[in-house]
Amino acid sequence: LAAHTLKGVCGNLGLGGLQRSAGELTEMLRRRARPIPAEARPLLEAVERDYERTAAAIGTFLEER
């Protein structure tokens, strides 16, 4: 699962916010059978927001160097 991989990578890099949201999505998907439940949509949206926030922060850091 991509959410599980994202959670692990974020944990290794210390990206706590994105790790938490990806972890919540991972746990929901782990408990549910296919197809992906509609209740996963808000968690996916949270992952997307946290991803964008994290990518923007990294971009800002790189620009300031």
Side-chain angles (χ1 to χ4, degrees):
L1 232 191
H4 184 262
T5 300
L6 181 61
K7 176 187 144 195
V9 169
C10 290
N12 290 335
L13 296 175
L15 305 173
L18 184 52
Q19 180 189 15
R20 280 186 292 282
S21 60
E24 290 175 17
L25 180 60
T26 297
E27 291 307 312
M28 171 179 269
L29 296 176
R30 182 176 291 160
R31 292 188 308 263
R32 304 290 182 121
R34 297 231 179 239
I36 295 173
E39 306 89 66
R41 172 62 61 190
L43 293 176
L44 178 58
E45 291 170 355
V47 170
E48 290 172 340
R49 281 191 305 273
D50 289 341
Y51 179 88
E52 292 298 327
R53 187 177 303 125
T54 300
I58 292 169
T60 299
F61 172 77
L62 293 175
E63 289 173 3
E64 293 174 356
R65 293 191 73 197

